[in-house]
Amino acid sequence: MIALVPENWDSVWMPRHQVLTRLARYFDVVWINPARGWREYWHPKGGSHLQREEFREVLPGFTVMTPGRMRPRFHRPRWLRRATLAQTLKDARAYLARRETKRLALYLWRPEFAEALELIPHDASCYHIDDEYSFADVARPNDPQEIELLRSVDQVIVHSQGLLKKKGDINPHTALIPNGVDYPAFATKQAEPPDLAAVPAPRIGYAGVIKRQLDLGLLVRLARARPGWSFVLVGPVGNVSGKEAVLAELRALPNVHFLGYKPVNQLAAYVQHMDVCLMCYEVNDYTNCIYPLKLHEYLAAGRPTVASPIASVLDHSDIVTLARSEEEWLAGIARALASPSSFESERRRRRAASYDWDILVEKLARIFCERLNIRWPVDVTMN
């Protein structure tokens, strides 16, 4: 399996990190880091000056390929861009051939990788959609190039009902596999991190990228309305375009605490020691297409959760408190603080356990076996 992904392996963990590392239990997987521009390889001051191509097996059956100076990225001319990508794919296939791989699946995680389908022979192809890539608050028609890709691949995976509704009728082989959780990591008790321990209780927490899709103005109002509550944000600051002033206002409040980026193996400890967790998204056509990773991470930790009524959360309204107005947010948080319940915590954990990544990726592995004409489970272990 060759996976074309939009970021380096060593970046912030995304759903594809969770999916592809687990698929390596069934197939040999090569994750191809995005190639850098030619100047970075060949200019003396480039960040990857004269870097060679590298294959690094970081887990059994899971290899990270880093294209080197002979495989840079070109935006134009088109023939040169295609030629370097074709050679990168050929190198990845040769690596898999040395591991006695018998069949090849191309696994595309962005529309811009569509031309790979024409550049290397393969036995199956999959386009995995984990976001609405227009990122538009108001829905736009599907991009014609994406429609062409959807029609071209053997399998499409979408992460949410919103994406299924918008794109699911283009390819008859479209499956909904939502985002999951590393359940053992978030359900197993961990020590309280020192920087969180320094924050006064009660702690009202958000764990994830801080971005413009969050209702940062709501957080400002909530923090001002309840100065005795500590609002804790754990995660890096991403694209907040247009909300820089609101973010600065939020940072200035004395009961708001930004703890910054945490590695994936530390994140569970922060979530477990929140009193209430938040998913404070604005509700629009874009957020109705997302499936937040943090949903089942919060639940696996047993934490009471208050959320905006985005589409992917509605199916969990029996276990997640939905809030539409400032008053409902304050009341929902207050109720969670007033009545902590071990029974409810166990209900949350049971729900999250059914979304463990191991369960979801097994479904995905079965789909790939069907597309590759491999019997399940007799011939499944190909690495």
Side-chain angles (χ1 to χ4, degrees), residues 12 195 234-236 259-267 270:
V12 175
D195 56 346
V234 179
L259 300 188
Y261 163 76
K262 306 298 176 185
V264 65
N265 61 348
Q266 297 180 18
L267 192 57
Y270 287 86

Side-chain angles (χ1 to χ4, degrees), residues 80 145 147 150 219 233 279 284 377:
L80 185 56
Q145 291 183 329
I147 293 175
L150 286 162
L219 286 175
L233 292 91
M279 289 193 294
N284 54 47

Side-chain angles (χ1 to χ4, degrees), residues 12-326:
V12 175
W13 268 51
M14 304 293 285
R16 52 197 144 269
H17 291 75
Q18 303 285 359
V19 168
L20 290 167
T21 52
R22 286 170 172 80
L23 279 176
R25 300 171 186 173
Y26 306 94
F27 314 100
D28 272 318
V29 176
V30 173
W31 165 300
I32 301 182
N33 281 336
R36 298 180 180 274
W38 67 270
R39 289 183 179 84
E40 292 193 54
Y41 291 120
W42 291 101
H43 193 283
K45 295 184 179 179
S48 301
H49 184 231
L50 298 182
Q51 183 180 43
R52 295 177 180 273
E53 184 175 83
E54 178 187 58
F55 289 88
R56 178 167 54 105
E57 188 172 15
V58 297
L59 293 168
F62 182 85
T63 299
V64 175
M65 175 189 180
T66 302
R69 62 181 186 267
M70 302 305 295
R71 311 283 183 261
R73 181 184 69 250
F74 293 96
H75 296 288
R76 59 182 187 274
R78 180 173 180 266
W79 68 265
L80 185 56
R81 182 188 72 237
R82 287 171 62 89
T84 53
L85 177 57
Q87 191 59 54
T88 296
L89 293 168
K90 182 179 178 181
D91 294 347
R93 181 168 187 143
Y95 173 85
L96 289 170
R98 292 193 294 271
R99 297 174 69 95
E100 301 183 354
T101 295
K102 300 176 181 66
R103 299 180 180 93
L104 178 66
L106 278 183
Y107 200 167
L108 312 181
W109 284 80
R110 281 292 188 275
E112 59 262 31
F113 299 127
E115 59 188 357
L117 298 174
E118 306 169 4
L119 299 177
I120 187 170
H122 53 276
D123 300 289
S125 57
C126 179
Y127 172 39
H128 198 134
I129 312 173
D130 66 345
D131 213 336
E132 170 47 52
Y133 302 125
S134 69
F135 302 103
D137 294 346
V138 178
R140 298 175 183 172
N142 288 318
D143 184 274
Q145 291 183 329
E146 186 178 37
I147 293 175
E148 183 178 352
L149 173 59
L150 286 162
R151 289 172 175 161
S152 299
V153 295
D154 300 305
Q155 181 69 47
V156 175
I157 305 296
V158 297
H159 271 190
S160 70
Q161 288 286 353
L163 289 172
L164 185 66
K165 182 178 180 180
K166 185 171 183 180
K167 306 174 194 288
D169 61 350
I170 298 171
N171 187 316
H173 299 296
T174 298
L176 170 61
I177 296 184
N179 276 334
V181 59
D182 183 347
Y183 182 78
F186 281 84
T188 303
K189 189 173 182 180
Q190 299 191 34
E192 185 176 25
D195 56 346
L196 183 60
V199 176
R203 303 171 189 139
I204 319 302
Y206 168 87
V209 178
I210 299 157
K211 51 193 174 182
R212 67 181 184 86
Q213 286 81 18
L214 296 182
D215 193 340
L216 298 178
L218 170 68
L219 286 175
V220 169
R221 296 191 298 275
L222 296 179
R224 285 179 170 163
R226 297 293 183 270
W229 295 351
S230 295
F231 289 81
V232 183
L233 292 91
V234 179
V237 176
N239 177 19
V240 294
S241 178
K243 295 186 175 181
E244 292 86 354
V246 182
L247 180 62
E249 191 176 0
L250 188 63
R251 283 186 180 276
L253 294 174
N255 62 328
V256 176
H257 307 264
F258 285 75
L259 300 188
Y261 163 76
K262 306 298 176 185
V264 65
N265 61 348
Q266 297 180 18
L267 192 57
Y270 287 86
V271 174
Q272 288 178 4
H273 292 278
M274 301 293 185
D275 295 293
V276 181
C277 289
L278 304 182
M279 289 193 294
C280 44
Y281 295 101
E282 294 184 347
V283 181
N284 54 47
D285 290 338
Y286 169 73
T287 56
N288 277 326
C289 284
I290 68 173
Y291 199 106
L293 280 169
K294 59 188 64 59
L295 169 59
H296 297 299
E297 293 173 349
Y298 291 169
L299 296 178
R303 297 296 81 205
T305 298
V306 184
S308 305
I310 61 174
S312 59
V313 181
L314 297 180
D315 289 340
H316 304 283
S317 60
D318 61 319
I319 209 164
V320 173
T321 299
L322 302 182
R324 293 168 175 81
S325 65
E326 181 180 332

